[in-house]
Amino acid sequence: SLLPPITSLMGCKLSFLAVIVVLASESADVPESAQPKKGKGTKQVQEPPPTKVSAPSRAQRWQWQVVAALAGCSSESEAEAAILQPLDEELQLASEGDLFAEVEKMIFHGWWNASRAAVLQGRKERIDLTAPVRRSVAEVKQQAEELLRWLDPNYAHPAPTLMAFQWAQNASAVTVAARFAHKWEAPGANLAVYSTDKGQGHVNKERTEALVKQLLTVSMVNHTVEAEILAKVQNSRKRFTLSLRLFDETVPDASGWSVVFRKAAGSMQMSRGAEIPELHFQMRKRWAEDWPWLPVRKLPLY
């Protein structure tokens, strides 16, 4: 009694297997071009086309030729000949060197004929040398004017100018603040070192402090304080001096000096937020007491 159901069940299984075999054979007969592509719906990544390297222009090749030729020149005549030589079309040159820097070097060396030849030849080759020429000529002119000022004895050997100063005290110490100017609120020495870090011009305090300490001479002995610095004030040079004889003795080993910065105000403020260096003395009194008067200024020594 169980045989008929088993037979029918086996028949169903055989029919299902037959359908699978037929479908597989049909799909095998379909050509590959007619079959759906794998990854349909996903964007195909294409490799970028190779970059085309353009040949250097005539102006570039002339610039490279001149820079390479100037490297071996030891005189102005050789430099001028190197600039005026015709462009060698067959010469293979590396794109190294800076023509602007080479022109600046020639101007600093005083090679005016060679520099003029570079300007004229550069114009023919469509290379504008205005920027390096103006920059280097301005610097040479500034140095020449500075040299002329040294012919003036008052510039070369300036008379001493007393520093403006203020002081404060308590029972155990006294502080003196001095400025490199003849009056407390007057413009003083040009000692600021500027920097263009972060894209904005400002006073570099570290470099300015290092410059002041390099130019400054300081002496602190018992009840005497002396300082001197030579610095430029506009177009002149000043010898700022400070010579103080204190009311009583101090302890040199427990005293010291430093360069600090204060915000400029009034006529001293050359730009917004400008700061100027000051010379500060911190002195320990040998005996704890209040001094009845200010330090006495002595005449500076010549």
Side-chain angles (χ1 to χ4, degrees):
S1 63
L2 296 177
L3 183 58
I6 294 176
T7 305
S8 61
L9 181 61
M10 293 178 62
C12 293
K13 290 183 178 181
L14 291 175
S15 301
F16 181 71
L17 291 175
V19 171
I20 294 176
V21 171
V22 170
L23 292 176
S25 60
E26 290 179 354
S27 63
D29 297 336
V30 177
E32 184 178 356
S33 59
Q35 294 182 4
K37 296 181 179 180
K38 294 182 179 180
K40 186 176 182 180
T42 60
K43 189 176 181 180
Q44 299 293 328
V45 179
Q46 297 181 355
E47 296 183 0
T51 305
K52 295 182 179 180
V53 180
S54 59
S57 64
R58 175 185 174 84
Q60 290 175 323
R61 287 186 284 111
W62 177 80
Q63 175 176 292
W64 299 341
Q65 175 178 301
V66 171
V67 171
L70 289 176
C73 296
S74 58
S75 65
E76 181 179 10
S77 59
E78 293 179 357
E80 186 176 4
I83 294 170
L84 296 177
Q85 64 180 345
L87 178 62
D88 189 349
E89 301 288 350
E90 303 297 331
L91 187 62
Q92 299 295 327
L93 296 171
S95 57
E96 298 178 355
D98 185 0
L99 182 59
F100 282 20
E102 296 297 331
V103 171
E104 290 181 347
K105 289 179 183 178
M106 291 190 297
I107 294 176
F108 292 148
H109 288 158
W111 292 359
W112 305 114
N113 292 333
S115 302
R116 188 183 303 111
V119 172
L120 296 176
Q121 197 67 19
R123 186 174 301 166
K124 294 179 181 179
E125 300 294 342
R126 300 182 180 276
I127 297 179
D128 188 6
L129 298 175
T130 301
V133 170
R134 288 189 179 277
R135 182 170 53 247
S136 53
V137 168
E139 185 172 347
V140 170
K141 183 179 179 181
Q142 182 179 1
Q143 295 295 333
E145 292 177 349
E146 176 73 10
L147 179 59
L148 289 176
R149 295 190 188 102
W150 281 89
L151 298 176
D152 183 1
N154 294 327
Y155 187 88
H157 307 285
T161 300
L162 300 178
M163 295 184 194
F165 73 94
Q166 295 180 351
W167 78 300
Q169 67 167 331
N170 57 25
S172 60
V174 59
T175 300
V176 176
R179 287 183 175 175
F180 310 119
H182 68 286
K183 293 182 180 180
W184 189 256
E185 298 296 339
N190 304 330
L191 294 168
V193 179
Y194 292 91
S195 175
T196 56
D197 295 341
K198 300 180 181 180
Q200 185 176 3
H202 62 280
V203 176
N204 189 313
K205 293 183 179 180
E206 291 77 11
R207 295 175 60 185
T208 300
E209 181 180 356
L211 175 63
V212 172
K213 290 183 177 180
Q214 178 184 352
L215 300 175
L216 192 63
T217 302
V218 177
S219 174
M220 301 175 64
V221 180
N222 292 332
H223 52 269
T224 301
V225 175
E226 294 182 341
E228 180 178 296
I229 187 171
L230 269 169
K232 293 190 64 176
V233 179
Q234 297 179 352
N235 292 329
S236 63
R237 293 174 75 241
K238 298 289 186 181
R239 182 159 67 98
F240 293 103
T241 61
L242 180 70
S243 185
L244 304 177
R245 185 175 181 83
L246 306 180
F247 173 77
D248 210 339
E249 292 187 9
T250 60
V251 182
D253 294 340
S255 305
W257 62 275
S258 60
V259 177
V260 300
F261 290 83
R262 291 288 182 267
K263 288 186 177 181
S267 59
M268 298 182 301
Q269 189 170 1
M270 304 303 293
S271 60
R272 185 178 181 182
E275 294 181 307
I276 58 174
E278 291 182 355
L279 176 59
H280 282 207
F281 295 92
Q282 300 82 27
M283 294 166 285
R284 177 69 58 182
K285 296 178 179 178
R286 187 171 293 278
W287 296 282
E289 61 179 355
D290 288 336
W291 292 353
W293 57 71
L294 297 174
V296 178
R297 189 192 303 268
K298 299 190 305 182
L299 292 176
L301 300 177
Y302 286 85

